[in-house]
Amino acid sequence: MTHTLDVDVVVIGGGQAGLAAGYHLRRQNLDFVILDAQPAPGGAWRHAWESLRLFSPAAYSSLPGRLMPAQGGAEYPDAHHVLQYLTAYEDRYALPVQRPVRALAVHRDGDRLRVETDRGDWSARAVISATGTWWRPFLPAVPGQEVFTGRQLHTVRYRDPREFAGQRVIVVGGGNSGAQVAADLAPHTDLTWVTRRPARFLADDIDGRALFDTATARRRALDAGDTDTGGVASLGDIVAVPPVRAARDAGLLKAQPMFARLTEDGAEWADGTRAEAAAIIWCTGFRPALSHLAPMGLRGERGRIPTRGTRAVDEPRLHLLGYGDWTGPASATLIGVGRPARDAVREIAAVLG
Ligand code: FAD
C-alpha cells in the first residue's frame, strides 16, 4: 500500500504514552492519528512476564481522564489488568489507532514532517514520538560473554519459572525487574542473584505513589533553581511488592556482588569464586527506541535526543514522550505520563493555532 495522508499530528507508538497524548489531542480537537507497531492494544505490557506486578496500586496507575479500577482483591494489579485497562481506554476515547503500522523513519519535508511507515506515509505538522524502551533491551558488555555456552536472555524474553525449573540460574540486576524475576525463580531453581551495588529495598510502605511524588518534587525543585532533592534514586531501587517481600522475608533474595567475567559454564568473581549456570537472565534495563528519528540527526548523549520539556531542542515540531525523567518527571509510568502529554499537546496546539 502506498499513500500519503495529511494530518495535524502523528503520534508514533500506541502504548500508554501514545494513548495519553491521544486523550489530550482529542480534547484540543486536533486532527491526529496514532501509529502502533503492535497487533493489539497494550504496548510493552503485552510482553510482560506472567507474575509481573505493578509497583503502584491501581488508582495510582491511571492515565488522564479515567481511573484504573482495582483488580479484585489484589493490591498491586498484574499486566493482564493493565492490558484490559488500556484496551478500554482506547475505546472510551475512540482513539484513532492504526495497527500494525511501524514508523520506519521521520523526515523533514519543508514545513511538515513526513512519517515513512511500512503502510505508506503520513505527513504531519507535528510528531509525538512515544515508542517506549522495551524494544531496545540493554545488556552490559562483560568479559567472557562469548565463551559462555549456556543460555543468555534479557528480561524481555523471560516468561515464567517453569522453563528453568531445577536449573542453576544467574539473575543480573538490582532494579525492580531483577528483584521480581529473582523472586519468581527462587523457589524453583538454584538461584544466584547478582547486583552491581548492594540491593536497596524501599521501605515496605513505599510504593509507586511515593515514587511519583518524589519525582515531581525533584522536577519542581530543579525548575525553580533549588537544590536537587535527590529524586527517586535516593529512596532505594526495589519496591517491595508482595512476591518480592515474601521471597526476601523467606531469605531467598540474597544479592551477590557482580561477577568479573563469564566462563564456559557459569560466572567467576574477582576473588576466583565460581558459580555454574545453565542460564543467565540479564535484567539490566533499556534504552529509548528512537531509530526511526535517525534521519533528522538529533541524537545527543546516551542515545537520547536533547529536549526542553518534551520538545526536541533542534526540531520544535517533534516531541518525545514517555521515555524517562528526561522527557518529564516519572513520564515512563502510567500515572506520570499524563502531565507531560498534556503539556506537549498544549505546546503543539499553540503552534498550530
Ligand atoms: P510502550 O508500552 O513500550 O509502548 C510503545 C509502543 O510503541 C508499543 O506498542 C510499540 O510496539 C510501539 N512502537 C515502538 N516503535 C515503534 C515504531 N517505530 N513505529 C510504531 N510503533 C512503535 N510503570 C508503572 O507505572 N507502574 C509499574 O508498575 C511499572 N512496571 C514496569 C515493569 C517493567 C518490567 C517495565 C519494563 C516497566 C514498568 N513500568 C511501570 C514502566 C512503564 O509504565 C512501561 O514501560 C510502559 O510500557 C511504558 O509505556 P510507553 O507507552 O512509553 O511504551
Side-chain angles (χ1 to χ4, degrees), residues 13 15-17 36-38 43-45 49 54-55 101 103 131-132 135 332-334:
Q16 66 202 32
D36 187 36
Q38 295 294 296
W45 297 104
W49 62 89
L54 292 195
F55 46 69
V101 181
T131 47
W135 327 96
T333 64
L334 284 152

Side-chain angles (χ1 to χ4, degrees), residues 220-267:
R220 287 210 183 108
L222 292 176
D223 287 350
D226 295 341
T227 352
D228 191 344
T229 52
V232 294
S234 61
L235 299 175
D237 299 320
I238 301 163
V239 178
V241 292
V244 167
R245 205 180 299 170
R248 181 201 62 193
D249 293 349
L252 297 173
L253 279 190
K254 297 240 160 59
Q256 308 295 324
M258 185 63 188
F259 46 75
R261 67 190 64 82
L262 292 181
T263 62
E264 204 172 299
D265 58 2

